[in-house]
Amino acid sequence: MRLAWWKILCIVQLLIISVAGFIGDVPAKPILNETIRNYYFHVPMWFGMMIFFIVSVIYSVKYLRSGKLEHDIVAVEYANVGLLFCILGLTTGMIWANYTWGKPWSNDPKQIGAAIAFLIYFAYLVLRNSMIDPDKRAKIGAVYNIFAFAMLFPTIWIIPRLLESLHPGGMGNPALNPGDVDSRMRYLFYFIAFPGWAILGVWVATLCIRLKKLEEKKLQHA
Amino acid sequence: MKAVIALFRKDLLLEFRQQYTFYGIILYVASTIFVLYLAMGQPEDQVWNGLFWMIQLFVCVNAVAKSFLQESRGRLLYFYSIAGARDFILSKLLFNVLLMALLSLVSWVLFGLLLGNPVQNGIRFMGVAIFGGLGLSLVFTFLSAIAARAQQNAALMAILGFPLIIPQILLMMKLANTAFSQVIQDSLGMIFLLLAGLDLLVVALAIILFPFLWKD
C-alpha cells in the first residue's frame, strides 16, 4: 500500500461526507427540502473546477516562460480534471434542478456560464489535438489556455451579478446563499466535503501526469 | 508606433488594390441578409436583434479570418525581419476594427432595407453596433492568429471563438435592446464598462501573448 497521508485523508473525508451527506441532519427549507444535501456534492465540483483551471493556467504561463514540456503536461491534465469536474457539476446541478425548478435546464445565467466553460475547455482540447508537433502544440495550446481563461473568468464572476437568476443566492453572490445552510453544514462543507473532492481531483491529475510522463519516456526510448 | 502605422497602411493599400476581398465580404453580407429576408420576412424586435448579432458574428469570422490566413510563410518571415511582433498584431487589430466598423454599418443599412427598421434610437443602436463590432473583431483577430499558426482553416477559428464570444454577444444584445424603445435601463453603464474592460483585456493579452505565437 503506497498511500501518502493526503490520499488517506481524502478517502476518510469522502467516506464521512457520503455518510453525513445522506443521513446527517439538514435544516428544513421551503422548496429546497432534502435537496439541500446536494450542497456537499454539487458545490465542491465548482470550487474544484475553478481551482484546477487556475492551476492549469499557471502551468501554461510557466510553460511559456520556461519551455519545459513537463509544465505543459501538468497544464493539460489539470484542464482535463477541471473539465471532468465541470461535467459532474453540471450533471449534479441538473438532477437537482429537475426536482427544485421542475426541469433540468432553464437557461439560468449560471447554467449558461457553466456550459460556456465546458465548451471553451473542450475547444482547448480540440485545438491541441489538431497539431502533431509536440512543441508547437504545447505553445499554441498554452497561448489559447491563457487567453480563454482571461476571457472566461471575469464573465462568470461578474455577469451572474448583473442578471437575475433562479439559483440559490439569486442576484448577487454567484453560487451560494449563505442564509440557507446552518453552521454544522458549513463546517462539514469547508473542512470535509470541499477539501475531500479537491484532493480527489489532485489525485486523479497526478496519476494522469505520471502516466503521460511514462508514455513520453517510452516514446523517447523507442 | 511608426511601424504600426506603416503596416496598417500596407493592409489598407492591399485592400484598395485588390478590392475583391472587400466586395466579397459585402456580397456575403448582402446575400445572407437576403436569404434571411426570404425566410423571415419582417420579424419582431427581439428576433430582429438576435438575427442582427448572429449575422455580425458570422460576418466578423469571415472578414477577420483572412487577416492572418492570407499571409504566406515567406511574407510572415519578411515582416518578422523588419518589424516587431507587437507592431504587427497592433496593426492587424487596428485594421480589423476599422473593417468591422464599416461592415457593421453596411449590415445595418441592409437590415433596415430588407427586414424593416424597428430601431427607435438610431444613433444609440449605431453606437452599440460599432462598439460590438469592435469587441468581436478584437477577439477574432487574435483567434485567427492562433488558427493560422496551427495551420488550420477558419472552421477552427469558429470552434475556438464561439464559446468565448457568447458572454459578450449576450451583453451586446442587452445593450442593443435598449435602442428599441425609449426606456432606459439602469445597469446600462455597468454593461458598457464591462465590455470596454473586456476589449482592453483582449488588446493587452494580444500584445503579451502574440510574440509567443510568432516565433518558431
Side-chain angles (χ1 to χ4, degrees):
Chain A
M1 289 275 278
R2 283 199 53 210
L3 280 178
W5 64 270
W6 54 273
K7 292 178 183 171
I8 297 168
L9 180 72
C10 168
I11 294 171
V12 172
Q13 280 174 325
L14 289 182
L15 279 176
I16 291 174
I17 209 62
S18 325
V19 176
F22 283 109
I23 58 176
D25 275 335
V26 290
K29 296 273 171 184
I31 303 171
L32 284 174
N33 298 326
E34 293 291 320
T35 67
I36 201 169
R37 294 176 193 280
N38 205 15
Y39 184 60
Y40 299 130
F41 305 98
H42 171 68
V43 185
M45 295 301 142
W46 299 120
F47 277 54
M49 180 198 83
M50 287 193 188
I51 290 172
F52 300 138
F53 284 162
I54 289 169
V55 171
S56 170
V57 86
I58 288 171
Y59 273 90
S60 279
V61 173
K62 268 189 165 171
Y63 171 76
L64 285 183
R65 293 177 72 101
S66 70
K68 284 186 197 140
L69 272 180
E70 296 105 76
H71 288 157
D72 181 59
I73 293 174
V74 176
V76 70
E77 293 308 333
Y78 272 98
N80 273 335
V81 176
L83 201 55
L84 174 71
F85 271 56
C86 179
I87 294 167
L88 289 174
L90 268 176
T91 320
T92 48
M94 274 158 74
I95 295 169
W96 175 84
N98 198 20
Y99 292 100
T100 47
W101 300 346
K103 53 187 177 187
W105 193 271
S106 36
N107 275 346
D108 193 73
K110 279 141 199 174
Q111 287 183 321
I112 295 172
I116 292 172
F118 172 77
L119 289 174
I120 287 179
Y121 279 88
F122 228 80
Y124 169 64
L125 298 181
V126 168
L127 173 69
R128 290 183 59 92
N129 284 328
S130 73
M131 289 169 281
I132 302 162
D133 177 22
D135 282 314
K136 194 176 185 186
R137 173 164 64 190
K139 191 181 279 179
I140 295 173
V143 168
Y144 181 73
N145 193 11
I146 296 167
F147 187 69
F149 179 87
M151 298 292 295
L152 170 69
F153 276 75
T155 51
I156 59 175
W157 283 328
I158 296 170
I159 290 181
R161 289 171 205 267
L162 294 176
L163 303 172
E164 284 186 37
S165 165
L166 293 165
H167 197 280
M171 266 186 92
N173 192 309
L176 307 162
N177 184 357
D180 276 348
V181 293
D182 59 12
S183 59
R184 197 178 146 277
M185 279 191 82
R186 200 169 295 130
Y187 174 82
L188 270 175
F189 177 78
Y190 283 107
F191 290 96
I192 310 288
F194 162 55
W197 289 112
I199 296 172
L200 183 72
V202 174
W203 192 352
V204 173
T206 48
L207 287 179
C208 291
I209 292 165
R210 271 166 64 192
L211 193 67
K212 261 276 171 65
K213 279 187 179 162
L214 277 176
E215 277 174 9
E216 292 276 300
K217 231 183 215 165
K218 222 175 144 192
L219 268 177
Q220 277 169 1
H221 291 295
Chain B
M1 201 62 224
K2 241 172 132 180
V4 176
I5 293 169
L7 282 168
F8 173 70
R9 273 194 49 196
K10 164 239 140 200
D11 271 337
L12 213 61
L13 223 72
L14 261 182
E15 204 57 68
F16 277 117
R17 296 250 170 92
Q18 10 171 268
Q19 294 181 337
Y20 78 97
T21 45
F22 182 68
Y23 288 122
I25 298 162
I26 298 268
L27 193 62
Y28 176 85
V29 178
S31 46
T32 324
I33 295 173
F34 185 62
V35 171
L36 266 184
Y37 164 67
L38 292 180
M40 310 281 301
Q42 308 225 325
E44 294 167 34
D45 297 5
Q46 286 282 328
V47 180
W48 193 96
N49 194 22
L51 286 174
F52 181 80
W53 288 102
M54 280 294 111
I55 294 296
Q56 286 281 85
L57 188 59
F58 280 92
V59 166
C60 187
V61 171
N62 280 288
V64 168
K66 66 173 198 58
S67 64
F68 281 92
L69 301 172
Q70 73 173 8
E71 312 277 13
S72 66
R73 252 190 107 69
R75 216 194 291 175
L76 277 176
L77 212 64
Y78 172 63
F79 291 137
Y80 184 44
S81 62
I82 58 165
R86 288 189 179 133
D87 301 332
F88 190 67
I89 187 78
L90 276 176
S91 76
K92 286 286 182 195
L93 287 174
L94 201 64
F95 177 75
N96 283 331
V97 165
L98 193 78
L99 182 67
M100 197 55 210
L102 209 64
L103 288 174
S104 303
L105 211 70
V106 171
S107 55
W108 188 45
V109 169
L110 283 172
F111 255 77
L113 279 178
L114 291 174
L115 300 182
N117 185 13
V119 177
Q120 304 247 333
N121 193 335
I123 296 167
R124 182 186 291 170
F125 187 81
M126 200 59 247
V128 174
I130 288 177
F131 182 61
L134 173 89
L136 287 175
S137 61
L138 290 177
V139 170
F140 278 102
T141 306
F142 188 68
L143 289 174
S144 90
I146 291 182
R149 292 300 290 133
Q151 271 148 15
Q152 295 292 322
N153 48 11
L156 184 74
M157 219 175 105
I159 298 171
L160 296 179
F162 284 4
L164 281 180
I165 210 78
I166 298 170
Q168 283 197 43
I169 286 268
L170 285 178
L171 290 177
M172 281 169 216
M173 280 185 194
K174 246 179 127 58
L175 268 188
N177 255 336
T178 60
F180 288 90
S181 59
Q182 299 301 339
V183 188
I184 292 177
Q185 284 183 338
D186 37 329
S187 62
L188 217 62
M190 270 291 281
I191 295 178
F192 181 78
L193 281 179
L194 184 62
L195 282 172
L198 274 175
D199 289 348
L200 278 179
L201 186 71
V202 175
V203 174
L205 280 170
I207 291 174
I208 296 167
L209 292 175
F210 187 70
F212 291 105
L213 279 179
W214 172 279
K215 52 188 175 205
D216 232 348

